[in-house]
Amino acid sequence: MTDQELVKRAFEMHRFSYVPYSHFPVGAALLTGDGRVFTGCNVENAAYGSTVCAERTALLKAVSEGCREGWTAIAIAGQGADFCWPCGACRQMLYEFAPDLRVLAARGDGQYAEARLSELLPHGFGPRSLE
Ligand SMILES: [Zn+2]
């Protein structure tokens, strides 16, 4: 799967976003080493703090289906003018399983930028920090 196809999968998830408060749909698509793709959308809640981001939804789907290793890239698609980089909580959650993950952050016009998670969360706290 190409990066562009992964970004497209992330955009396709906008249709499932539940965003009555922000009106800002976000989709995510997580690519694993064996070619599987776990998708997610943001799901908001009247108790705002209970909201779950699209990339964390994709992460939870992967882990809950037994896929914890070999993640190669995640695409995150927003509709704004800026690239949709993951929030701090999502960076931390992704770091647990794939500290050097490729992150593709897309904006509303379909363009995207790329960075490594290790760049987005330098000196991150992970499983090795507890050794
Ligand atoms: Zn987030």
Side-chain angles (χ1 to χ4, degrees):
M1 169 166 292
T2 67
D3 288 352
Q4 240 168 356
E5 288 168 337
L6 194 64
V7 169
K8 184 169 179 282
R9 292 287 301 272
F11 272 111
E12 287 171 356
M13 292 307 292
H14 281 189
R15 64 190 154 143
F16 297 124
S17 288
Y18 176 72
V19 289
Y21 309 108
S22 73
H23 306 287
F24 190 86
V26 178
L30 174 65
L31 179 63
T32 65
D34 60 7
R36 283 189 292 171
V37 176
F38 294 90
T39 55
C41 63
N42 50 345
V43 181
E44 295 183 344
N45 191 274
Y48 292 1
S50 299
T51 293
V52 179
C53 300
E55 53 273 50
R56 253 181 300 157
T57 302
L59 176 154
L60 293 170
K61 286 168 72 175
V63 173
S64 65
E65 293 181 25
C67 183
R68 298 179 188 168
E69 297 174 347
W71 301 358
T72 58
I74 188 167
I76 305 161
Q79 64 176 13
D82 291 334
F83 297 117
C84 195
W85 296 107
C87 78
C90 288
R91 293 177 194 203
Q92 179 64 40
M93 286 287 285
L94 290 165
Y95 191 86
E96 178 82 10
F97 300 98
D100 203 35
L101 188 66
R102 291 174 57 236
V103 178
L104 310 173
R107 62 188 186 196
D109 67 1
Q111 297 294 310
Y112 59 92
E114 177 181 345
R116 293 280 180 175
L117 184 59
S118 54
E119 298 172 303
L120 300 176
L121 188 64
H123 310 291
F125 188 89
R128 288 187 185 155
S129 305
L130 295 173
E131 291 174 358

